[in-house]
PDB file of all heavy atoms in Angstrom:
ATOM      1  N   GLY G  20       3.237  25.633   8.943  1.00 95.00           N
ATOM      2  CA  GLY G  20       4.235  26.662   9.233  1.00 95.00           C
ATOM      3  C   GLY G  20       3.910  27.417  10.506  1.00 95.00           C
ATOM      4  O   GLY G  20       2.741  27.459  10.945  1.00 95.00           O
ATOM      5  N   SER G  21       4.924  28.026  11.085  1.00 97.00           N
ATOM      6  CA  SER G  21       4.735  28.777  12.335  1.00 97.00           C
ATOM      7  C   SER G  21       3.759  29.936  12.122  1.00 97.00           C
ATOM      8  O   SER G  21       3.873  30.694  11.165  1.00 97.00           O
ATOM      9  CB  SER G  21       6.098  29.317  12.779  1.00 97.00           C
ATOM     10  OG  SER G  21       5.975  29.995  13.988  1.00 97.00           O
ATOM     11  N   GLY G  22       2.805  30.054  13.027  1.00 96.00           N
ATOM     12  CA  GLY G  22       1.807  31.119  12.910  1.00 96.00           C
ATOM     13  C   GLY G  22       0.557  30.768  13.693  1.00 96.00           C
ATOM     14  O   GLY G  22       0.597  29.900  14.574  1.00 96.00           O
ATOM     15  N   PRO G  23      -0.553  31.396  13.364  1.00 96.00           N
ATOM     16  CA  PRO G  23      -1.788  31.161  14.136  1.00 96.00           C
ATOM     17  C   PRO G  23      -2.209  29.687  14.255  1.00 96.00           C
ATOM     18  O   PRO G  23      -2.688  29.288  15.315  1.00 96.00           O
ATOM     19  CB  PRO G  23      -2.836  31.990  13.372  1.00 96.00           C
ATOM     20  CG  PRO G  23      -2.042  33.067  12.718  1.00 96.00           C
ATOM     21  CD  PRO G  23      -0.733  32.466  12.362  1.00 96.00           C
ATOM     22  N   ILE G  43       4.943  23.307  13.175  1.00 97.00           N
ATOM     23  CA  ILE G  43       5.945  24.229  13.711  1.00 97.00           C
ATOM     24  C   ILE G  43       5.151  25.234  14.554  1.00 97.00           C
ATOM     25  O   ILE G  43       4.306  25.961  14.027  1.00 97.00           O
ATOM     26  CB  ILE G  43       6.718  24.940  12.587  1.00 97.00           C
ATOM     27  CG1 ILE G  43       7.391  23.885  11.701  1.00 97.00           C
ATOM     28  CG2 ILE G  43       7.764  25.890  13.179  1.00 97.00           C
ATOM     29  CD1 ILE G  43       7.991  24.406  10.425  1.00 97.00           C
ATOM     30  N   ALA G  44       5.388  25.206  15.856  1.00 98.00           N
ATOM     31  CA  ALA G  44       4.585  26.039  16.751  1.00 98.00           C
ATOM     32  C   ALA G  44       4.866  27.520  16.502  1.00 98.00           C
ATOM     33  O   ALA G  44       5.890  27.886  15.900  1.00 98.00           O
ATOM     34  CB  ALA G  44       4.890  25.685  18.196  1.00 98.00           C
ATOM     35  N   LYS G  45       3.972  28.345  16.943  1.00 98.00           N
ATOM     36  CA  LYS G  45       4.174  29.795  16.877  1.00 98.00           C
ATOM     37  C   LYS G  45       5.493  30.135  17.582  1.00 98.00           C
ATOM     38  O   LYS G  45       5.835  29.529  18.595  1.00 98.00           O
ATOM     39  CB  LYS G  45       2.982  30.458  17.589  1.00 98.00           C
ATOM     40  CG  LYS G  45       3.039  31.943  17.682  1.00 98.00           C
ATOM     41  CD  LYS G  45       2.551  32.630  16.433  1.00 98.00           C
ATOM     42  CE  LYS G  45       2.822  34.134  16.525  1.00 98.00           C
ATOM     43  NZ  LYS G  45       2.799  34.782  15.214  1.00 98.00           N
ATOM     44  N   THR G  46       6.219  31.103  17.042  1.00 97.00           N
ATOM     45  CA  THR G  46       7.544  31.426  17.602  1.00 97.00           C
ATOM     46  C   THR G  46       7.453  31.878  19.061  1.00 97.00           C
ATOM     47  O   THR G  46       6.603  32.696  19.415  1.00 97.00           O
ATOM     48  CB  THR G  46       8.218  32.536  16.775  1.00 97.00           C
ATOM     49  OG1 THR G  46       8.290  32.124  15.415  1.00 97.00           O
ATOM     50  CG2 THR G  46       9.624  32.847  17.295  1.00 97.00           C
ATOM     51  N   VAL G  47       8.370  31.329  19.875  1.00 98.00           N
ATOM     52  CA  VAL G  47       8.397  31.700  21.294  1.00 98.00           C
ATOM     53  C   VAL G  47       9.746  32.343  21.635  1.00 98.00           C
ATOM     54  O   VAL G  47      10.743  32.136  20.951  1.00 98.00           O
ATOM     55  CB  VAL G  47       8.196  30.459  22.208  1.00 98.00           C
ATOM     56  CG1 VAL G  47       6.828  29.860  21.981  1.00 98.00           C
ATOM     57  CG2 VAL G  47       9.281  29.409  21.985  1.00 98.00           C
ATOM     58  N   ARG G  60      -4.572  43.208  13.003  1.00 96.00           N
ATOM     59  CA  ARG G  60      -3.193  43.010  12.532  1.00 96.00           C
ATOM     60  C   ARG G  60      -3.116  42.266  11.204  1.00 96.00           C
ATOM     61  O   ARG G  60      -2.040  41.821  10.809  1.00 96.00           O
ATOM     62  CB  ARG G  60      -2.361  42.315  13.592  1.00 96.00           C
ATOM     63  CG  ARG G  60      -2.961  41.087  14.228  1.00 96.00           C
ATOM     64  CD  ARG G  60      -1.966  40.556  15.269  1.00 96.00           C
ATOM     65  NE  ARG G  60      -2.390  39.346  15.907  1.00 96.00           N
ATOM     66  CZ  ARG G  60      -2.987  39.284  17.090  1.00 96.00           C
ATOM     67  NH1 ARG G  60      -3.283  40.407  17.745  1.00 96.00           N
ATOM     68  NH2 ARG G  60      -3.292  38.126  17.632  1.00 96.00           N
ATOM     69  N   TYR G  61      -4.239  42.138  10.529  1.00 96.00           N
ATOM     70  CA  TYR G  61      -4.237  41.481   9.217  1.00 96.00           C
ATOM     71  C   TYR G  61      -4.872  42.392   8.172  1.00 96.00           C
ATOM     72  O   TYR G  61      -5.787  43.167   8.478  1.00 96.00           O
ATOM     73  CB  TYR G  61      -5.037  40.176   9.240  1.00 96.00           C
ATOM     74  CG  TYR G  61      -4.657  39.228  10.354  1.00 96.00           C
ATOM     75  CD1 TYR G  61      -5.627  38.649  11.167  1.00 96.00           C
ATOM     76  CD2 TYR G  61      -3.321  38.886  10.588  1.00 96.00           C
ATOM     77  CE1 TYR G  61      -5.288  37.780  12.191  1.00 96.00           C
ATOM     78  CE2 TYR G  61      -2.972  38.026  11.607  1.00 96.00           C
ATOM     79  CZ  TYR G  61      -3.961  37.474  12.409  1.00 96.00           C
ATOM     80  OH  TYR G  61      -3.609  36.624  13.425  1.00 96.00           O
ATOM     81  N   TRP G  75      -1.958  38.357   1.649  1.00 96.00           N
ATOM     82  CA  TRP G  75      -2.333  38.499   3.055  1.00 96.00           C
ATOM     83  C   TRP G  75      -1.186  39.215   3.762  1.00 96.00           C
ATOM     84  O   TRP G  75      -0.063  38.746   3.717  1.00 96.00           O
ATOM     85  CB  TRP G  75      -2.563  37.095   3.620  1.00 96.00           C
ATOM     86  CG  TRP G  75      -2.950  37.019   5.044  1.00 96.00           C
ATOM     87  CD1 TRP G  75      -2.160  37.308   6.106  1.00 96.00           C
ATOM     88  CD2 TRP G  75      -4.209  36.609   5.571  1.00 96.00           C
ATOM     89  NE1 TRP G  75      -2.852  37.116   7.270  1.00 96.00           N
ATOM     90  CE2 TRP G  75      -4.117  36.672   6.970  1.00 96.00           C
ATOM     91  CE3 TRP G  75      -5.409  36.180   4.988  1.00 96.00           C
ATOM     92  CZ2 TRP G  75      -5.167  36.340   7.800  1.00 96.00           C
ATOM     93  CZ3 TRP G  75      -6.448  35.836   5.825  1.00 96.00           C
ATOM     94  CH2 TRP G  75      -6.346  35.917   7.202  1.00 96.00           C
ATOM     95  N   GLU G  76      -1.478  40.344   4.398  1.00 97.00           N
ATOM     96  CA  GLU G  76      -0.432  41.016   5.160  1.00 97.00           C
ATOM     97  C   GLU G  76      -0.720  40.898   6.650  1.00 97.00           C
ATOM     98  O   GLU G  76      -1.883  41.003   7.069  1.00 97.00           O
ATOM     99  CB  GLU G  76      -0.342  42.502   4.794  1.00 97.00           C
ATOM    100  CG  GLU G  76       0.841  43.193   5.493  1.00 97.00           C
ATOM    101  CD  GLU G  76       0.675  44.696   5.639  1.00 97.00           C
ATOM    102  OE1 GLU G  76       0.032  45.334   4.778  1.00 97.00           O
ATOM    103  OE2 GLU G  76       1.191  45.241   6.638  1.00 97.00           O
ATOM    104  N   ASN G  77       0.315  40.657   7.437  1.00 97.00           N
ATOM    105  CA  ASN G  77       0.100  40.648   8.890  1.00 97.00           C
ATOM    106  C   ASN G  77       1.175  41.466   9.579  1.00 97.00           C
ATOM    107  O   ASN G  77       2.302  41.581   9.083  1.00 97.00           O
ATOM    108  CB  ASN G  77       0.076  39.205   9.429  1.00 97.00           C
ATOM    109  CG  ASN G  77       1.461  38.649   9.656  1.00 97.00           C
ATOM    110  OD1 ASN G  77       2.048  38.825  10.715  1.00 97.00           O
ATOM    111  ND2 ASN G  77       2.025  37.962   8.638  1.00 97.00           N
ATOM    112  N   GLU G  79       1.547  40.735  12.857  1.00 96.00           N
ATOM    113  CA  GLU G  79       1.530  39.959  14.102  1.00 96.00           C
ATOM    114  C   GLU G  79       2.961  39.681  14.548  1.00 96.00           C
ATOM    115  O   GLU G  79       3.804  39.295  13.742  1.00 96.00           O
ATOM    116  CB  GLU G  79       0.783  38.649  13.850  1.00 96.00           C
ATOM    117  CG  GLU G  79       0.701  37.760  15.073  1.00 96.00           C
ATOM    118  CD  GLU G  79      -0.250  36.586  14.834  1.00 96.00           C
ATOM    119  OE1 GLU G  79      -1.447  36.817  14.615  1.00 96.00           O
ATOM    120  OE2 GLU G  79       0.229  35.439  14.857  1.00 96.00           O
ATOM    121  N   LEU G  80       3.208  39.860  15.820  1.00 95.00           N
ATOM    122  CA  LEU G  80       4.532  39.555  16.357  1.00 95.00           C
ATOM    123  C   LEU G  80       4.589  38.085  16.731  1.00 95.00           C
ATOM    124  O   LEU G  80       3.660  37.323  16.476  1.00 95.00           O
ATOM    125  CB  LEU G  80       4.815  40.437  17.573  1.00 95.00           C
ATOM    126  CG  LEU G  80       4.782  41.945  17.317  1.00 95.00           C
ATOM    127  CD1 LEU G  80       5.020  42.712  18.614  1.00 95.00           C
ATOM    128  CD2 LEU G  80       5.824  42.335  16.282  1.00 95.00           C
ATOM    129  N   ILE G  81       5.687  37.704  17.396  1.00 96.00           N
ATOM    130  CA  ILE G  81       5.793  36.324  17.873  1.00 96.00           C
ATOM    131  C   ILE G  81       4.821  36.132  19.043  1.00 96.00           C
ATOM    132  O   ILE G  81       4.112  37.063  19.416  1.00 96.00           O
ATOM    133  CB  ILE G  81       7.251  35.987  18.276  1.00 96.00           C
ATOM    134  CG1 ILE G  81       7.712  36.897  19.410  1.00 96.00           C
ATOM    135  CG2 ILE G  81       8.159  36.106  17.056  1.00 96.00           C
ATOM    136  CD1 ILE G  81       9.086  36.532  19.960  1.00 96.00           C
ATOM    137  N   SER G  82       4.822  34.956  19.645  1.00 97.00           N
ATOM    138  CA  SER G  82       3.828  34.675  20.681  1.00 97.00           C
ATOM    139  C   SER G  82       4.009  35.596  21.892  1.00 97.00           C
ATOM    140  O   SER G  82       5.127  35.834  22.360  1.00 97.00           O
ATOM    141  CB  SER G  82       3.961  33.222  21.145  1.00 97.00           C
ATOM    142  OG  SER G  82       3.025  32.982  22.155  1.00 97.00           O
ATOM    143  N   SER G 108       9.657  26.776  17.264  1.00 98.00           N
ATOM    144  CA  SER G 108      10.239  27.926  16.579  1.00 98.00           C
ATOM    145  C   SER G 108      10.704  28.890  17.662  1.00 98.00           C
ATOM    146  O   SER G 108       9.909  29.316  18.504  1.00 98.00           O
ATOM    147  CB  SER G 108       9.187  28.579  15.681  1.00 98.00           C
ATOM    148  OG  SER G 108       9.646  29.840  15.248  1.00 98.00           O
ATOM    149  N   GLU G 134      13.240  25.296  14.790  1.00 98.00           N
ATOM    150  CA  GLU G 134      13.323  26.232  13.672  1.00 98.00           C
ATOM    151  C   GLU G 134      13.752  27.556  14.290  1.00 98.00           C
ATOM    152  O   GLU G 134      13.105  28.052  15.221  1.00 98.00           O
ATOM    153  CB  GLU G 134      11.962  26.368  12.974  1.00 98.00           C
ATOM    154  CG  GLU G 134      12.054  27.190  11.702  1.00 98.00           C
ATOM    155  CD  GLU G 134      10.735  27.208  10.941  1.00 98.00           C
ATOM    156  OE1 GLU G 134       9.910  28.091  11.212  1.00 98.00           O
ATOM    157  OE2 GLU G 134      10.547  26.345  10.069  1.00 98.00           O
ATOM    158  N   ASN G 136      13.973  31.343  14.182  1.00 97.00           N
ATOM    159  CA  ASN G 136      13.286  32.413  13.461  1.00 97.00           C
ATOM    160  C   ASN G 136      14.232  33.589  13.266  1.00 97.00           C
ATOM    161  O   ASN G 136      14.444  34.396  14.163  1.00 97.00           O
ATOM    162  CB  ASN G 136      12.022  32.831  14.243  1.00 97.00           C
ATOM    163  CG  ASN G 136      11.207  33.854  13.482  1.00 97.00           C
ATOM    164  OD1 ASN G 136      11.717  34.518  12.579  1.00 97.00           O
ATOM    165  ND2 ASN G 136       9.946  34.004  13.842  1.00 97.00           N
ATOM    166  N   SER G 138      13.624  35.619  10.708  1.00 93.00           N
ATOM    167  CA  SER G 138      12.925  35.995   9.498  1.00 93.00           C
ATOM    168  C   SER G 138      11.714  36.901   9.636  1.00 93.00           C
ATOM    169  O   SER G 138      11.230  37.409   8.637  1.00 93.00           O
ATOM    170  CB  SER G 138      12.488  34.714   8.786  1.00 93.00           C
ATOM    171  OG  SER G 138      11.881  33.812   9.683  1.00 93.00           O
ATOM    172  N   CYS G 139      11.193  37.102  10.831  1.00 89.00           N
ATOM    173  CA  CYS G 139       9.974  37.913  10.958  1.00 89.00           C
ATOM    174  C   CYS G 139      10.294  39.358  10.575  1.00 89.00           C
ATOM    175  O   CYS G 139      11.167  39.982  11.174  1.00 89.00           O
ATOM    176  CB  CYS G 139       9.465  37.830  12.387  1.00 89.00           C
ATOM    177  SG  CYS G 139       7.888  38.627  12.585  1.00 89.00           S
ATOM    178  N   HIS G 141       8.718  42.157  10.897  1.00 81.00           N
ATOM    179  CA  HIS G 141       8.297  43.247  11.786  1.00 81.00           C
ATOM    180  C   HIS G 141       8.490  42.862  13.245  1.00 81.00           C
ATOM    181  O   HIS G 141       7.937  43.485  14.131  1.00 81.00           O
ATOM    182  CB  HIS G 141       6.824  43.590  11.517  1.00 81.00           C
ATOM    183  CG  HIS G 141       5.992  42.354  11.370  1.00 81.00           C
ATOM    184  ND1 HIS G 141       5.765  41.774  10.138  1.00 81.00           N
ATOM    185  CD2 HIS G 141       5.418  41.558  12.275  1.00 81.00           C
ATOM    186  CE1 HIS G 141       5.062  40.656  10.316  1.00 81.00           C
ATOM    187  NE2 HIS G 141       4.839  40.509  11.600  1.00 81.00           N
ATOM    188  N   LYS G 177      15.188  29.515   9.630  1.00 97.00           N
ATOM    189  CA  LYS G 177      14.143  30.047   8.747  1.00 97.00           C
ATOM    190  C   LYS G 177      14.572  31.399   8.197  1.00 97.00           C
ATOM    191  O   LYS G 177      14.869  32.323   8.946  1.00 97.00           O
ATOM    192  CB  LYS G 177      12.821  30.174   9.501  1.00 97.00           C
ATOM    193  CG  LYS G 177      11.686  30.650   8.600  1.00 97.00           C
ATOM    194  CD  LYS G 177      10.345  30.450   9.244  1.00 97.00           C
ATOM    195  CE  LYS G 177       9.225  30.966   8.371  1.00 97.00           C
ATOM    196  NZ  LYS G 177       7.923  30.779   8.996  1.00 97.00           N
ATOM    197  N   ALA G 202      12.147  28.064   4.113  1.00 95.00           N
ATOM    198  CA  ALA G 202      11.956  29.259   3.298  1.00 95.00           C
ATOM    199  C   ALA G 202      10.523  29.242   2.751  1.00 95.00           C
ATOM    200  O   ALA G 202      10.045  28.179   2.378  1.00 95.00           O
ATOM    201  CB  ALA G 202      12.959  29.292   2.151  1.00 95.00           C
ATOM    202  N   ILE G 203       9.863  30.371   2.739  1.00 95.00           N
ATOM    203  CA  ILE G 203      10.351  31.667   3.173  1.00 95.00           C
ATOM    204  C   ILE G 203       9.417  32.228   4.251  1.00 95.00           C
ATOM    205  O   ILE G 203       8.267  31.767   4.365  1.00 95.00           O
ATOM    206  CB  ILE G 203      10.376  32.692   1.984  1.00 95.00           C
ATOM    207  CG1 ILE G 203       8.976  32.867   1.384  1.00 95.00           C
ATOM    208  CG2 ILE G 203      11.398  32.334   0.970  1.00 95.00           C
ATOM    209  CD1 ILE G 203       8.845  33.968   0.356  1.00 95.00           C
ATOM    210  N   ASN G 204       9.876  33.203   5.007  1.00 96.00           N
ATOM    211  CA  ASN G 204       8.948  33.970   5.846  1.00 96.00           C
ATOM    212  C   ASN G 204       8.327  35.056   4.957  1.00 96.00           C
ATOM    213  O   ASN G 204       8.478  35.042   3.734  1.00 96.00           O
ATOM    214  CB  ASN G 204       9.677  34.561   7.065  1.00 96.00           C
ATOM    215  CG  ASN G 204       8.702  34.803   8.224  1.00 96.00           C
ATOM    216  OD1 ASN G 204       7.604  35.333   8.032  1.00 96.00           O
ATOM    217  ND2 ASN G 204       9.097  34.423   9.429  1.00 96.00           N
ATOM    218  N   THR G 205       7.644  35.967   5.564  1.00 97.00           N
ATOM    219  CA  THR G 205       6.846  36.922   4.791  1.00 97.00           C
ATOM    220  C   THR G 205       7.692  38.054   4.196  1.00 97.00           C
ATOM    221  O   THR G 205       8.787  38.356   4.653  1.00 97.00           O
ATOM    222  CB  THR G 205       5.760  37.520   5.692  1.00 97.00           C
ATOM    223  OG1 THR G 205       6.375  37.968   6.906  1.00 97.00           O
ATOM    224  CG2 THR G 205       4.700  36.504   6.017  1.00 97.00           C
ATOM    225  N   GLY G 231       4.186  41.750   6.962  1.00 97.00           N
ATOM    226  CA  GLY G 231       4.695  40.648   6.162  1.00 97.00           C
ATOM    227  C   GLY G 231       3.630  40.139   5.219  1.00 97.00           C
ATOM    228  O   GLY G 231       2.497  39.873   5.610  1.00 97.00           O
ATOM    229  N   TYR G 232       4.006  40.011   3.936  1.00 97.00           N
ATOM    230  CA  TYR G 232       3.078  39.600   2.887  1.00 97.00           C
ATOM    231  C   TYR G 232       3.204  38.103   2.651  1.00 97.00           C
ATOM    232  O   TYR G 232       4.318  37.577   2.535  1.00 97.00           O
ATOM    233  CB  TYR G 232       3.456  40.356   1.617  1.00 97.00           C
ATOM    234  CG  TYR G 232       2.424  40.403   0.524  1.00 97.00           C
ATOM    235  CD1 TYR G 232       1.070  40.566   0.812  1.00 97.00           C
ATOM    236  CD2 TYR G 232       2.815  40.340  -0.807  1.00 97.00           C
ATOM    237  CE1 TYR G 232       0.133  40.637  -0.213  1.00 97.00           C
ATOM    238  CE2 TYR G 232       1.885  40.426  -1.836  1.00 97.00           C
ATOM    239  CZ  TYR G 232       0.547  40.572  -1.518  1.00 97.00           C
ATOM    240  OH  TYR G 232      -0.366  40.642  -2.527  1.00 97.00           O
ATOM    241  N   SER G 233       2.072  37.420   2.595  1.00 97.00           N
ATOM    242  CA  SER G 233       2.108  35.965   2.406  1.00 97.00           C
ATOM    243  C   SER G 233       0.946  35.546   1.515  1.00 97.00           C
ATOM    244  O   SER G 233       0.237  36.373   0.977  1.00 97.00           O
ATOM    245  CB  SER G 233       2.007  35.264   3.765  1.00 97.00           C
ATOM    246  OG  SER G 233       0.770  35.556   4.377  1.00 97.00           O
ATOM    247  N   SER G 234       0.774  34.249   1.409  1.00 95.00           N
ATOM    248  CA  SER G 234      -0.321  33.624   0.670  1.00 95.00           C
ATOM    249  C   SER G 234       0.052  33.410  -0.800  1.00 95.00           C
ATOM    250  O   SER G 234       1.212  33.485  -1.165  1.00 95.00           O
ATOM    251  CB  SER G 234      -1.606  34.446   0.831  1.00 95.00           C
ATOM    252  OG  SER G 234      -2.718  33.709   0.453  1.00 95.00           O
ATOM    253  N   ARG G 235      -0.985  33.188  -1.639  1.00 95.00           N
ATOM    254  CA  ARG G 235      -0.705  32.784  -3.022  1.00 95.00           C
ATOM    255  C   ARG G 235       0.203  33.770  -3.759  1.00 95.00           C
ATOM    256  O   ARG G 235       1.028  33.375  -4.581  1.00 95.00           O
ATOM    257  CB  ARG G 235      -2.011  32.640  -3.797  1.00 95.00           C
ATOM    258  CG  ARG G 235      -2.811  31.488  -3.290  1.00 95.00           C
ATOM    259  CD  ARG G 235      -4.015  31.174  -4.117  1.00 95.00           C
ATOM    260  NE  ARG G 235      -4.740  30.120  -3.457  1.00 95.00           N
ATOM    261  CZ  ARG G 235      -4.425  28.840  -3.568  1.00 95.00           C
ATOM    262  NH1 ARG G 235      -3.438  28.467  -4.339  1.00 95.00           N
ATOM    263  NH2 ARG G 235      -5.104  27.932  -2.916  1.00 95.00           N
ATOM    264  N   VAL G 237       2.759  35.298  -2.994  1.00 96.00           N
ATOM    265  CA  VAL G 237       4.215  35.245  -2.786  1.00 96.00           C
ATOM    266  C   VAL G 237       4.821  33.933  -3.278  1.00 96.00           C
ATOM    267  O   VAL G 237       6.042  33.789  -3.293  1.00 96.00           O
ATOM    268  CB  VAL G 237       4.592  35.469  -1.294  1.00 96.00           C
ATOM    269  CG1 VAL G 237       3.903  36.703  -0.736  1.00 96.00           C
ATOM    270  CG2 VAL G 237       4.283  34.255  -0.434  1.00 96.00           C
ATOM    271  N   LYS G 238       3.975  32.996  -3.674  1.00 96.00           N
ATOM    272  CA  LYS G 238       4.504  31.667  -4.011  1.00 96.00           C
ATOM    273  C   LYS G 238       5.582  31.695  -5.110  1.00 96.00           C
ATOM    274  O   LYS G 238       6.622  31.022  -4.971  1.00 96.00           O
ATOM    275  CB  LYS G 238       3.351  30.748  -4.418  1.00 96.00           C
ATOM    276  CG  LYS G 238       3.757  29.308  -4.549  1.00 96.00           C
ATOM    277  CD  LYS G 238       2.534  28.445  -4.723  1.00 96.00           C
ATOM    278  CE  LYS G 238       2.897  27.072  -5.207  1.00 96.00           C
ATOM    279  NZ  LYS G 238       1.693  26.286  -5.520  1.00 96.00           N
ATOM    280  N   TRP G 296       6.963  23.751   2.381  1.00 46.00           N
ATOM    281  CA  TRP G 296       5.782  23.107   2.929  1.00 46.00           C
ATOM    282  C   TRP G 296       4.576  23.513   2.094  1.00 46.00           C
ATOM    283  O   TRP G 296       4.268  24.691   1.976  1.00 46.00           O
ATOM    284  CB  TRP G 296       5.558  23.522   4.384  1.00 46.00           C
ATOM    285  CG  TRP G 296       6.778  23.345   5.225  1.00 46.00           C
ATOM    286  CD1 TRP G 296       7.430  24.325   5.906  1.00 46.00           C
ATOM    287  CD2 TRP G 296       7.492  22.143   5.470  1.00 46.00           C
ATOM    288  NE1 TRP G 296       8.507  23.796   6.550  1.00 46.00           N
ATOM    289  CE2 TRP G 296       8.584  22.469   6.303  1.00 46.00           C
ATOM    290  CE3 TRP G 296       7.340  20.823   5.074  1.00 46.00           C
ATOM    291  CZ2 TRP G 296       9.482  21.521   6.743  1.00 46.00           C
ATOM    292  CZ3 TRP G 296       8.261  19.892   5.519  1.00 46.00           C
ATOM    293  CH2 TRP G 296       9.302  20.235   6.340  1.00 46.00           C
ATOM    294  N   ARG G 298       0.649  24.075   0.863  1.00 51.00           N
ATOM    295  CA  ARG G 298      -0.626  24.351   1.519  1.00 51.00           C
ATOM    296  C   ARG G 298      -1.547  23.165   1.284  1.00 51.00           C
ATOM    297  O   ARG G 298      -1.481  22.530   0.258  1.00 51.00           O
ATOM    298  CB  ARG G 298      -1.317  25.525   0.841  1.00 51.00           C
ATOM    299  CG  ARG G 298      -0.620  26.780   0.936  1.00 51.00           C
ATOM    300  CD  ARG G 298      -1.227  27.697  -0.116  1.00 51.00           C
ATOM    301  NE  ARG G 298      -0.407  28.861  -0.197  1.00 51.00           N
ATOM    302  CZ  ARG G 298      -0.398  29.805   0.729  1.00 51.00           C
ATOM    303  NH1 ARG G 298      -1.208  29.718   1.740  1.00 51.00           N
ATOM    304  NH2 ARG G 298       0.393  30.809   0.639  1.00 51.00           N
TER     305      ARG G 298
HETATM  306  C1  FMN H 401      -0.592  35.755  10.825  1.00 55.98           C
HETATM  307  C2  FMN H 401       0.764  35.157  10.600  1.00 55.98           C
HETATM  308  C3  FMN H 401       1.616  34.945  11.681  1.00 55.98           C
HETATM  309  C4  FMN H 401       2.870  34.375  11.486  1.00 55.98           C
HETATM  310  N1  FMN H 401       3.683  34.152  12.561  1.00 55.98           N
HETATM  311  C5  FMN H 401       4.901  33.570  12.375  1.00 55.98           C
HETATM  312  C6  FMN H 401       5.726  33.285  13.484  1.00 55.98           C
HETATM  313  O1  FMN H 401       5.384  33.503  14.638  1.00 55.98           O
HETATM  314  N2  FMN H 401       6.948  32.735  13.228  1.00 55.98           N
HETATM  315  C7  FMN H 401       7.373  32.435  11.970  1.00 55.98           C
HETATM  316  O2  FMN H 401       8.483  31.937  11.798  1.00 55.98           O
HETATM  317  N3  FMN H 401       6.592  32.710  10.906  1.00 55.98           N
HETATM  318  C8  FMN H 401       5.368  33.256  11.076  1.00 55.98           C
HETATM  319  N4  FMN H 401       4.575  33.505   9.990  1.00 55.98           N
HETATM  320  C9  FMN H 401       5.087  33.228   8.628  1.00 55.98           C
HETATM  321  C10 FMN H 401       4.593  31.884   8.096  1.00 55.98           C
HETATM  322  O3  FMN H 401       5.068  30.809   8.871  1.00 55.98           O
HETATM  323  C11 FMN H 401       5.065  31.702   6.634  1.00 55.98           C
HETATM  324  O4  FMN H 401       6.453  31.629   6.613  1.00 55.98           O
HETATM  325  C12 FMN H 401       4.598  32.822   5.737  1.00 55.98           C
HETATM  326  O5  FMN H 401       3.253  33.122   5.982  1.00 55.98           O
HETATM  327  C13 FMN H 401       4.790  32.508   4.240  1.00 55.98           C
HETATM  328  O6  FMN H 401       4.139  31.309   3.894  1.00 55.98           O
HETATM  329  P1  FMN H 401       2.637  31.280   3.252  1.00 55.98           P
HETATM  330  O7  FMN H 401       2.623  32.246   2.110  1.00 55.98           O
HETATM  331  O8  FMN H 401       2.485  29.863   2.847  1.00 55.98           O
HETATM  332  O9  FMN H 401       1.674  31.694   4.360  1.00 55.98           O
HETATM  333  C14 FMN H 401       3.304  34.045  10.177  1.00 55.98           C
HETATM  334  C15 FMN H 401       2.443  34.273   9.096  1.00 55.98           C
HETATM  335  C16 FMN H 401       1.193  34.810   9.286  1.00 55.98           C
HETATM  336  C17 FMN H 401       0.295  35.054   8.094  1.00 55.98           C
END
Side-chain angles (χ1 to χ4, degrees):
S21 182
I43 302 170
K45 177 83 188 161
T46 304
V47 296
R60 49 180 183 262
Y61 309 131
W75 180 291
E76 185 203 329
N77 82 87
E79 180 170 297
L80 301 178
I81 61 174
S82 179
S108 168
E134 187 174 89
N136 185 340
S138 47
C139 187
H141 44 268
K177 183 166 178 180
I203 59 172
N204 205 315
T205 49
Y232 197 39
S233 63
S234 196
R235 292 188 184 278
V237 310
K238 190 171 165 187
W296 309 120
R298 296 164 190 286

